[in-house]
Amino acid sequence: MKKILFLITVLFFIILQVHSLEVSKKELQSISNNSTIEFINYTGPHKKIDSIEAIKGIGSNLAQNIPQKLTEFQKNGDLNRYSVIHAVDSSQKDKLDADIILIGKDATVDHITNVRRIISAYLSAAYNYSQEDADTLAVFITVYNAVYRSDLDSFKSKYKDIVIQNLAQENCGLSVNYKDWPGNSQIVIPLFDVTSSDISTVDTSVISDTKVVTSMKEDDDKNVEARKNMVDIKEREAENAQDKAQNAQKTAVEEQKKLNEEKNKTQEVKKEAELAQKEAELAQKEAEEKQKIAEENPENKKAQQEAEEAQKKADDAQKEAEEKQQKLENQEQKQAEQEEKAQAAKEEAKNQQAVADKKQTEAQNERKDIAKDQKEIAQKQAEQAKMPVDYAIVITDENQYLSKLVRFNKETGEIIKSSPVNVIRNRTIFDSNENYIAICGEENANGTIKLVTIDKESMEITKESDYKIAAASVLVQENDEYYCVTDENGKFFVAKFANDLSLKQKSQIQVLSCTPITITQSSIVVTNANGSLSLLDKETLQEQTGK
């Protein structure tokens, strides 16, 4: 629950006994916290709504060829829309590889949920993660990248040179504001072991460090479900690592046994080589003696023959000694190779055990933290159930006069819940029993402006009008009818809508997009396209003439 920095003043606009509320940005304002990550999404109507499958398809397509070439540097996708850099380098061992997902300048993604869908689908396609695990990782990856946005030094401390070479100070990570995403996003996914083919491909410890979890806990629900799912992943990682450690330990024992055997062989071969060398030395000594006698008795054919035979015997003995020495060297090389295997197996067992211990410790600590948070949430919910509450709108964009709906404690001014809909226009909203009615939206790459209903409980848009509404339109209510200005390809008309947002009537004459709409007992007063005053019939919205 967010605390209040300034006392609030709630201004009630009473229009025919049904009120429209607005509170300025400096009112109902919570204390800022630099560690808090709150994504600002576009939550208004859209020109076109892509299916969830189409959005996931973006991520799946980015993974093309990655599974077949896991250890090779790759670039996939459209740089102007969505692309990925598979930044891996097997020659550097001390730091992390990474995948970098880029949101290009022509991309239209405007909600963090869809960014996460793209990342999740990519992880499933590239590394065979289940959808549930991929969804969990995607949540943490986005928060991680927001926490470390533009912090290139933090990335340098963890990632290999090949990763850093593809990051820019101003763009690394992910902005919290969707307006900054196109052309300015480098979403880093740390890879613990790109060849593992299991849930340890992505480094879960990095994306769930203290800063990330602290930020996630600032949300009203403290992101308990995502954190519980991450704990589950880490516990399975610990089990996998424990199994690998045990298998590696078995391998280490076997390799040590082989090493002992090789050492015994080496000793045997060494003795053979030493004996052969001694025999060669003795044979050479005897040959030298025979040669001396032969030289002293040049006419003695027997002495000459014995000298030749002795030298041949010495040469044969030396050759055998050299062969034995070569055999020894080969055996020593074999022993050295076996020592490396035995040592590698020991290191693997040690490393896997360290991973198992680390993941298990992280999981246990986080479970305790989650249990504590769940208790706090339950207490807060119980307290909130007793609070005297009301609704208001607060400014989200002073330049465009955009607002969002909030539910607050009437006694303290403390915000209990904020609507994700932050593009209510012209500071006007009307109560319609279980819903509020307002004009919402922005004109952007994929956004548009429409009349909408906002559910009081979920505080989300539940329905949109079929007609586009002018950006500068006012919204006026009389009884159960709502008047505003429609935008039909740059031509503007006064329209009357019912509670369910169905169109009841529309004027034939064009009006200014920003026309005031004044309701009198007998007519509707507007400013027509020529800038002149026009009177419209209240029932038909036809122009009244001759009166």
Side-chain angles (χ1 to χ4, degrees):
M1 191 181 297
K2 300 181 178 178
K3 298 184 182 299
I4 303 305
L5 184 59
F6 299 103
L7 294 176
I8 66 167
T9 303
V10 180
L11 178 62
F12 292 88
F13 293 96
I14 300 177
I15 305 177
L16 297 177
Q17 296 182 344
V18 183
H19 62 273
S20 159
L21 299 175
E22 179 192 6
V23 183
S24 75
K25 192 174 183 179
K26 292 182 180 179
E27 297 160 340
L28 296 173
Q29 184 177 6
S30 62
I31 295 176
S32 62
N33 186 332
N34 291 332
S35 67
T36 302
I37 298 299
E38 182 176 355
F39 287 102
I40 301 171
N41 306 297
Y42 175 71
T43 52
H46 288 83
K47 295 173 184 174
K48 175 187 174 184
I49 299 178
D50 292 322
S51 68
I52 292 175
E53 288 307 311
I55 294 167
K56 289 182 176 180
I58 296 171
S60 300
N61 290 336
L62 291 180
Q64 198 171 29
N65 298 325
I66 298 291
Q68 292 76 33
K69 301 176 181 179
L70 287 172
T71 59
E72 296 181 22
F73 178 87
Q74 297 181 58
K75 289 184 178 182
N76 293 336
D78 182 350
L79 287 175
N80 290 325
R81 292 179 59 76
Y82 305 94
S83 60
V84 66
I85 300 173
H86 185 59
V88 295
D89 181 3
S90 57
S91 67
Q92 188 176 356
K93 304 295 185 182
D94 57 333
K95 292 185 179 181
L96 296 173
D97 295 313
D99 286 332
I100 307 169
I101 293 180
L102 310 176
I103 300 177
K105 63 182 180 64
D106 296 332
T108 57
V109 63
D110 56 14
H111 199 290
I112 195 61
T113 297
N114 288 336
V115 174
R116 289 168 176 168
R117 284 171 176 155
I118 292 170
I119 295 172
S120 174
Y122 173 79
L123 294 176
S124 293
Y127 305 116
N128 202 32
Y129 276 100
S130 69
Q131 180 174 328
E132 183 179 2
D133 287 345
D135 288 348
T136 298
L137 294 173
V139 171
F140 279 83
I141 287 167
T142 51
V143 177
Y144 166 71
N145 276 269
V147 168
Y148 291 99
R149 169 69 167 173
S150 299
D151 189 356
L152 190 59
D153 287 340
S154 289
F155 289 115
K156 285 181 178 178
S157 69
K158 293 182 177 67
Y159 296 92
K160 296 179 180 179
D161 295 341
I162 192 67
V163 178
I164 304 305
Q165 290 165 9
N166 287 280
L167 295 178
Q169 175 79 48
E170 64 276 13
N171 292 338
C172 60
L174 182 67
S175 169
V176 296
N177 193 327
Y178 76 94
K179 294 180 179 179
D180 298 329
W181 294 345
N184 303 301
S185 303
Q186 297 173 331
I187 302 172
V188 179
I189 303 174
L191 302 177
F192 177 73
D193 184 359
V194 74
T195 61
S196 65
S197 300
D198 60 25
I199 55 174
S200 294
T201 301
V202 174
D203 196 320
T204 54
S205 296
V206 170
I207 61 174
S208 64
D209 68 16
T210 302
K211 285 187 177 181
V212 173
V213 174
T214 298
S215 174
M216 296 177 75
K217 290 170 67 173
E218 290 296 325
D219 286 355
D220 290 339
D221 64 357
K222 295 184 181 290
N223 277 286
V224 164
E225 287 306 311
R227 289 163 58 203
K228 286 168 65 177
N229 292 338
M230 177 59 82
V231 168
D232 178 64
I233 292 175
K234 287 186 177 181
E235 287 176 338
R236 282 182 283 138
E237 283 187 290
E239 291 174 4
N240 286 353
Q242 189 66 54
D243 289 342
K244 289 179 180 179
Q246 291 174 352
N247 291 334
Q249 185 59 42
K250 291 178 182 178
T251 301
V253 172
E254 293 172 359
E255 296 297 340
Q256 183 62 44
K257 183 179 179 182
K258 291 178 182 179
L259 176 59
N260 293 337
E261 291 173 355
E262 294 300 332
K263 285 182 177 180
N264 291 335
K265 287 181 182 179
T266 300
Q267 290 302 315
E268 292 175 4
V269 174
K270 185 177 181 181
K271 288 178 181 178
E272 292 176 359
E274 289 174 347
L275 180 59
Q277 184 61 37
K278 287 180 180 179
E279 290 177 349
E281 290 172 355
L282 290 174
Q284 183 60 39
K285 184 177 180 180
E286 183 178 353
E288 290 173 354
E289 291 174 351
K290 295 287 186 180
Q291 182 63 34
K292 184 177 180 181
I293 293 171
E295 290 175 352
E296 292 174 348
N297 301 279
E299 301 299 328
N300 188 332
K301 292 182 178 180
K302 183 179 180 181
Q304 301 299 322
Q305 185 178 355
E306 288 178 350
E308 289 178 3
E309 290 175 352
Q311 186 58 52
K312 184 176 183 302
K313 183 179 178 182
D315 290 342
D316 290 344
Q318 182 60 39
K319 182 178 180 181
E320 183 176 357
E322 290 174 355
E323 289 175 351
K324 294 289 186 181
Q325 182 61 36
Q326 184 61 52
K327 184 178 179 181
L328 175 60
E329 291 176 1
N330 292 341
Q331 179 58 34
E332 287 176 339
Q333 178 62 32
K334 192 174 181 182
Q335 177 183 322
E337 291 173 355
Q338 186 57 40
E339 284 178 346
E340 289 183 3
K341 290 182 180 179
Q343 186 60 35
K346 290 178 183 177
E347 286 296 320
E348 177 67 10
K350 179 181 177 182
N351 292 339
Q352 290 297 340
Q353 189 60 53
V355 171
D357 293 343
K358 178 181 180 182
K359 297 299 181 181
Q360 191 60 46
T361 298
E362 289 179 4
Q364 289 174 349
N365 291 339
E366 187 60 16
R367 278 212 183 277
K368 292 178 182 177
D369 207 21
I370 290 171
K372 179 182 176 183
D373 289 342
Q374 285 179 309
K375 185 176 180 180
E376 289 182 8
I377 291 171
Q379 290 175 342
K380 288 179 181 179
Q381 289 175 339
E383 293 170 359
Q384 288 175 2
K386 301 175 183 178
M387 289 181 184
V389 300
D390 208 339
Y391 293 83
I393 53 176
V394 298
I395 290 291
T396 58
D397 187 325
E398 293 182 62
N399 294 325
Q400 298 187 66
Y401 302 122
L402 300 180
S403 309
K404 70 176 177 180
L405 182 68
V406 297
R407 184 160 63 236
F408 66 97
N409 184 328
K410 289 194 293 186
E411 293 181 350
T412 66
E414 185 175 31
I415 293 177
I416 299 170
K417 183 175 181 179
S418 293
S419 170
V421 185
N422 53 14
V423 285
I424 296 173
R425 303 191 69 85
N426 298 324
R427 300 158 293 170
T428 304
I429 192 167
F430 291 102
D431 191 337
S432 176
N433 297 322
E434 70 272 12
N435 296 316
Y436 281 103
I437 292 180
I439 298 173
C440 284
E442 282 187 292
E443 285 290 352
N444 55 41
N446 197 33
T448 190
I449 300 169
K450 290 188 176 182
L451 192 65
V452 304
T453 57
I454 301 175
D455 181 76
K456 287 184 178 179
E457 185 57 35
S458 69
M459 303 178 80
E460 295 182 354
I461 292 175
T462 54
K463 193 172 184 180
E464 301 175 5
S465 64
D466 292 331
Y467 286 82
K468 178 182 176 183
I469 307 300
S473 174
V474 296
L475 178 61
V476 177
Q477 180 199 33
E478 183 182 46
N479 299 324
D480 292 331
E481 297 173 334
Y482 301 86
Y483 297 83
C484 54
V485 178
T486 61
D487 180 350
E488 300 180 27
N489 297 318
K491 295 181 179 179
F492 305 102
F493 304 89
V494 174
K496 177 167 59 175
F497 292 89
N499 265 336
D500 62 0
L501 306 188
S502 61
L503 180 70
K504 298 186 74 172
Q505 297 291 344
K506 187 178 67 169
S507 70
Q508 290 185 348
I509 68 163
Q510 295 182 41
V511 298
L512 295 180
S513 64
C514 59
T515 178
I517 298 176
T518 305
I519 301 176
T520 68
Q521 281 191 336
S522 58
S523 60
I524 307 294
V525 184
V526 297
T527 304
N528 62 37
N530 296 321
S532 302
L533 182 145
S534 288
L535 302 180
L536 306 181
D537 183 87
K538 291 181 70 173
E539 292 300 321
T540 65
L541 295 188
Q542 299 303 304
E543 185 173 20
Q544 296 176 340
T545 59
K547 294 186 179 180

